[in-house]
Amino acid sequence: MNVSVIIDADSMIYASAYSRSLSEAKEKLDKNINLTLNEIEELGYVIDSFVVCSGSYGNFRKFISTSYKANRKGDKPAYLNELQKYCRTNWHAKFVLGAETDDVVASYWLQFHLEDANPIIASIDKDYLQFPARIYNYIRKTLVMLDPIQANYNFYTQMLVGDGADNVKGVKGCGEACAKKTLSHLTSKYAMVRAVYELYVKAYKGKASLRYRENYSLLKLRTDVL
C-alpha cells in the first residue's frame, strides 16, 4: 500500500537535544527520522510522501486555561532551540503560530485522509489515538489501526479521566475503570457524549457545561490549522 507519513518530531528533537554537542544532536535527529521512515517501509508500505512537524508555539489552549501544562517545569536540554531551527531548515518542518504541533499533525492527517493518501502518523503521543488513524509508535515499534468506535472511546475516556501530562482534570473520582464501565458497551459517538456529559452533570452540577466545553477544547486536537 502507498502511504503518506506525518512525523511528529517534537519528542525526537527533545530527546536528541540531550547530547554532548550540537553536531551530535543533529546526527541523532537525522538518524531517528530516517529510521522511522525505514521501519514503516519494512512493514510493507511504500512511502509516496512524508512531512515533518515540529516547533509550533503560542498555544491557544493556554488562553483557555492558565493551568494547561503548568505542571511542566524544569530545565530544557541545551540544544533544544538550535535543533528546532535545524529541523525547520534541514527537514522543512511544518509549524504554526497559535497551535500545538499535535494540531498541525492532525490537520495534515485529515487533509491526506480526504485526499485518499493513506496517512500514517508517526508519533509516541497518545493524543492521536482519538482519530481513526494508522499510528506508528517509533519507540515501541508498533502500528495500530483504529476504527471510529475505538477512536471515540479513546477520546471520551480522556474526557472522563483527564490528562495528567497536560494538567487537564477530568471528572473527579473517575479513573480508567470508571471510564471503561461507562463507555465500553457503547457503539456510537452520540451515546458516548450523552454518557460522559451525564457524569459531568453529577460531578459539577450547574458548572457541568462550562467544564465539559473547557475540557473538550483542551483535549480535542484541531484539524483546521494549516
Side-chain angles (χ1 to χ4, degrees), residues 7 26 43 46 72 84 89 135 141-142 182 189 223 225:
I7 298 176
K26 292 176 180 179
L43 292 173
V46 177
R72 298 193 181 187
Q84 286 176 336
T89 56
I135 304 170
K141 313 301 183 187
T142 57
T182 303
K189 179 180 177 180
T223 56
V225 302

Side-chain angles (χ1 to χ4, degrees), residues 1 4 14 35 59 67 70 94 99 145 149 166 191 201 205 214:
M1 176 187 290
S4 295
Y14 202 89
L35 182 61
N59 190 350
S67 64
K94 309 301 180 184
M145 292 174 278
I149 294 175
D166 291 341
V201 171
K205 312 300 181 189
E214 179 178 290

Side-chain angles (χ1 to χ4, degrees), residues 4 49 107-119 226:
S4 295
S49 64
S107 296
Y108 271 109
W109 171 81
L110 180 60
Q111 177 180 304
F112 291 160
H113 177 70
L114 294 176
E115 294 172 355
D116 294 322
N118 298 318
L226 296 180

Side-chain angles (χ1 to χ4, degrees), residues 58-70 72 76 98 100 218:
N59 190 350
F60 74 92
R61 291 176 179 85
K62 292 186 177 180
F63 295 97
I64 296 173
S65 173
T66 55
S67 64
Y68 183 73
K69 291 189 176 181
R72 298 193 181 187
K76 295 180 180 180
E100 292 187 69
L218 294 175

Side-chain angles (χ1 to χ4, degrees), residues 89-107:
T89 56
N90 195 66
W91 290 99
H92 308 290
K94 309 301 180 184
F95 64 96
V96 169
L97 173 63
E100 292 187 69
T101 297
D102 295 11
D103 300 304
V104 179
V105 171
S107 296

Side-chain angles (χ1 to χ4, degrees), residues 35-219:
L35 182 61
T36 296
L37 294 170
N38 289 338
E39 288 171 347
I40 290 173
E41 287 185 328
E42 287 171 1
L43 292 173
Y45 294 105
V46 177
I47 299 175
D48 282 338
S49 64
F50 72 91
V51 59
V52 175
C53 303
S54 75
S56 292
Y57 58 97
N59 190 350
F60 74 92
R61 291 176 179 85
K62 292 186 177 180
F63 295 97
I64 296 173
S65 173
T66 55
S67 64
Y68 183 73
K69 291 189 176 181
N71 56 331
R72 298 193 181 187
K73 299 177 181 179
D75 296 332
K76 295 180 180 180
Y79 300 108
L80 182 61
N81 291 334
E82 292 92 336
L83 207 53
Q84 286 176 336
K85 293 176 182 177
Y86 172 75
C87 195
R88 291 175 186 174
T89 56
N90 195 66
W91 290 99
H92 308 290
K94 309 301 180 184
F95 64 96
V96 169
L97 173 63
E100 292 187 69
T101 297
D102 295 11
D103 300 304
V104 179
V105 171
S107 296
Y108 271 109
W109 171 81
L110 180 60
Q111 177 180 304
F112 291 160
H113 177 70
L114 294 176
E115 294 172 355
D116 294 322
N118 298 318
I120 293 179
I121 296 173
S123 176
I124 61 173
D125 194 329
K126 67 183 186 307
D127 292 341
Y128 298 120
L129 298 176
Q130 65 183 255
F131 294 113
R134 288 185 179 87
I135 304 170
Y136 181 70
N137 186 313
Y138 54 82
I139 296 296
R140 296 180 179 176
K141 313 301 183 187
T142 57
L143 178 72
V144 298
M145 292 174 278
L146 302 171
D147 62 34
I149 294 175
Q150 292 171 320
N152 284 323
Y153 176 87
N154 292 334
F155 175 70
Y156 288 103
T157 293
Q158 275 193 303
M159 286 289 290
L160 290 174
V161 176
D163 189 333
D166 291 341
N167 206 33
V168 178
K169 310 298 182 183
V171 172
K172 186 177 181 179
C174 188
E176 293 288 343
C178 167
K180 184 176 181 180
K181 180 180 179 180
T182 303
L183 301 171
S184 61
H185 62 289
L186 303 178
T187 58
S188 72
K189 179 180 177 180
Y190 175 74
M192 291 184 190
V193 171
R194 284 194 59 181
V196 169
Y197 190 71
E198 285 176 6
L199 290 184
Y200 269 78
V201 171
K202 289 180 181 179
Y204 301 112
K205 312 300 181 189
K207 295 182 178 180
S209 178
L210 178 64
R211 291 298 301 271
Y212 183 94
R213 287 185 285 110
E214 179 178 290
N215 279 357
Y216 187 95
S217 297
L218 294 175
L219 295 169

